[in-house]
Amino acid sequence: MPLRSGSRRSMHVMRRKAPALVVLAALALPVAAGAQAPVPVPAPVPEQQPAETPAKGRLKLRLERVGGGGVLAGTRWVVRGTLRPYVAGQRVSVRFYRRDRKIAVRRVTIGKDGSVGRFAVGFRAKTPGAITVRASHRATAELATVVAPRVRVEVLPLRATPGATGLAVRTLQRRLGRLGYVVGRRGVYDDRTARAVVAFRKVTGMARTNAASEEVFARLARGQGRFRVRFPSHGRHVEADISRQVLALIEGGKAVRIYPTSTGAPATPTILGTFRVYMKDYGTNAKGMVHSSYFIRGYAIHGYYDVPIYNASHGCLRVPIPEADSIFNWIRYGTIVDTYR
């Protein structure tokens, strides 16, 4: 049955509205679904802890088996160290230098000794010369970088003989000179240096020769050979040790110059006691006495052509002629002279 014109208009209007309703329905669906779903909550952020600062430490070194004068070439010596505070698992690098050249490295783990870390490293140097030792700890999470104050070791040569030159002689002269022995031209084992070795051997009770043997260097390394002043209260004075056959010029409580001497022979012994210089005679007299300083009657300190390693004078204190002038100039009128065994 044909539709009326009014009905056709109504259907046409409905066709035009239908798409709009579909769009509204589509837009409404997500809103409704969103209203029903739970809103997500952000996960809590953990609070950040501040990073721990590495502890500050203190590293020190000390030498063991090293005498006051150094260590003999070829002898093993020890570097001991302490690290405060102790932290488990830490390591230290110990480095050895000759001049500015690194010659060895030892890496050691720190051991525990109460609250202190400790370590020890042995070393042996065959070549004479100065060795500088340095040590450091590289920073870790527990302990910061630590550097120890450096220490120095003088490695002494084994021997030297008259006529020699070079490092061995310079080292020998330097060690003897620090003790008060009068040495010669630097780096040359001349007659004066040989006499200094004789005097050193006398003081230390060794055989009275002029060779600087391995034993001489060993004793120097141990700090031996110092002249023991018998009368420090006498101020600036002279001491003659008859038993050792050495003469020393004393000032400030220590021997500033030490010489070999030859005192009175058994038949004409040197008089013992404390005296003062009462007369001085520069030059050579009729008896061959050179630059004489008289301390009692005809007894004097003087140079002479023959100064053996034993007592052979007529009671005077003989010294080698090359040393007589400087000794004469050092002694004054009234200077005390002590002679003893």
Side-chain angles (χ1 to χ4, degrees):
M1 181 173 178
L3 294 174
R4 297 177 180 175
S5 59
S7 298
R8 285 197 298 269
R9 285 195 298 271
S10 298
M11 291 182 65
H12 179 70
V13 171
M14 290 180 66
R15 288 192 190 100
R16 287 189 301 176
K17 291 181 176 180
L21 292 173
V22 171
V23 172
L24 289 173
L27 293 173
L29 283 173
V31 174
Q36 295 173 3
V39 178
V41 179
V45 178
E47 183 179 353
Q48 293 185 351
Q49 299 293 331
E52 293 186 5
T53 303
K56 293 183 178 181
R58 186 173 56 181
L59 183 61
K60 287 187 176 182
L61 301 177
R62 68 178 178 85
L63 301 175
E64 191 175 273
R65 300 181 188 175
V66 175
V71 63
L72 195 65
T75 301
R76 185 178 182 273
W77 42 282
V78 178
V79 180
R80 292 195 179 274
T82 57
L83 179 60
R84 300 171 185 269
Y86 169 76
V87 179
Q90 305 302 300
R91 292 174 64 84
V92 168
S93 294
V94 183
R95 299 177 298 281
F96 299 83
Y97 293 83
R98 178 174 283 112
R99 295 180 181 173
D100 293 327
R101 186 173 67 88
K102 183 164 57 178
I103 58 175
V105 180
R106 303 285 188 270
R107 293 182 175 87
V108 293
T109 301
I110 301 297
K112 186 177 182 182
D113 184 6
S115 61
V116 180
R118 297 189 186 276
F119 63 91
V121 176
F123 194 73
R124 189 190 312 270
K126 296 182 179 180
T127 304
I131 300 292
T132 301
V133 185
R134 306 174 186 174
S136 62
H137 165 271
R138 186 169 293 180
T140 62
E142 300 83 12
L143 190 64
T145 295
V146 192
V147 179
R150 65 188 65 182
V151 294
R152 192 171 181 271
V153 180
E154 186 75 26
V155 180
L156 302 179
L158 296 179
R159 62 182 62 85
T161 54
T165 60
L167 176 62
V169 178
R170 291 196 300 272
T171 302
L172 173 68
Q173 291 173 326
R174 184 170 63 252
R175 296 303 178 189
L176 289 171
R178 288 177 182 175
L179 294 172
Y181 296 94
V182 180
V183 298
R185 186 157 61 94
R186 186 175 183 270
V188 180
Y189 203 129
D190 53 13
D191 290 342
R192 180 165 282 170
T193 299
R195 289 193 292 269
V197 171
V198 171
F200 175 85
R201 283 175 164 272
K202 287 182 173 184
V203 170
T204 54
M206 300 176 66
R208 297 177 179 182
T209 70
N210 61 6
S213 64
E214 182 175 343
E215 181 62 20
V216 168
F217 281 103
R219 288 175 182 255
L220 283 169
R222 294 195 292 267
Q224 297 182 8
R226 190 173 302 279
F227 184 91
R228 294 184 179 180
V229 178
R230 182 78 64 90
F231 300 100
S233 62
H234 287 181
R236 189 177 184 278
H237 68 286
V238 180
E239 291 193 11
D241 187 333
I242 307 300
S243 61
R244 290 182 171 83
Q245 293 290 288
V246 291
L247 182 142
L249 309 184
I250 313 300
E251 194 167 9
K254 66 178 182 179
V256 294
R257 300 187 205 172
I258 307 170
Y259 303 94
T261 188
S262 178
T263 65
T268 54
T270 298
I271 188 170
L272 305 181
T274 298
F275 315 98
R276 288 185 181 273
V277 171
Y278 67 92
M279 186 174 72
K280 299 183 67 177
D281 180 22
Y282 191 80
T284 304
N285 65 17
K287 296 181 179 180
M289 299 165 59
V290 181
H291 309 329
S292 304
S293 299
Y294 294 88
F295 55 90
I296 182 173
R297 296 195 293 275
Y299 299 114
I301 301 170
H302 65 84
Y304 203 65
Y305 75 94
D306 182 26
V307 184
I309 58 175
Y310 52 87
N311 52 325
S313 78
H314 296 92
C316 291
L317 305 177
R318 294 181 186 176
V319 295
I321 289 178
E323 316 295 357
D325 185 71
S326 61
I327 294 173
F328 181 89
N329 291 329
W330 189 90
I331 294 174
R332 304 166 182 168
Y333 281 96
T335 296
I336 292 176
V337 177
D338 292 305
T339 59
Y340 55 81
R341 292 187 180 278

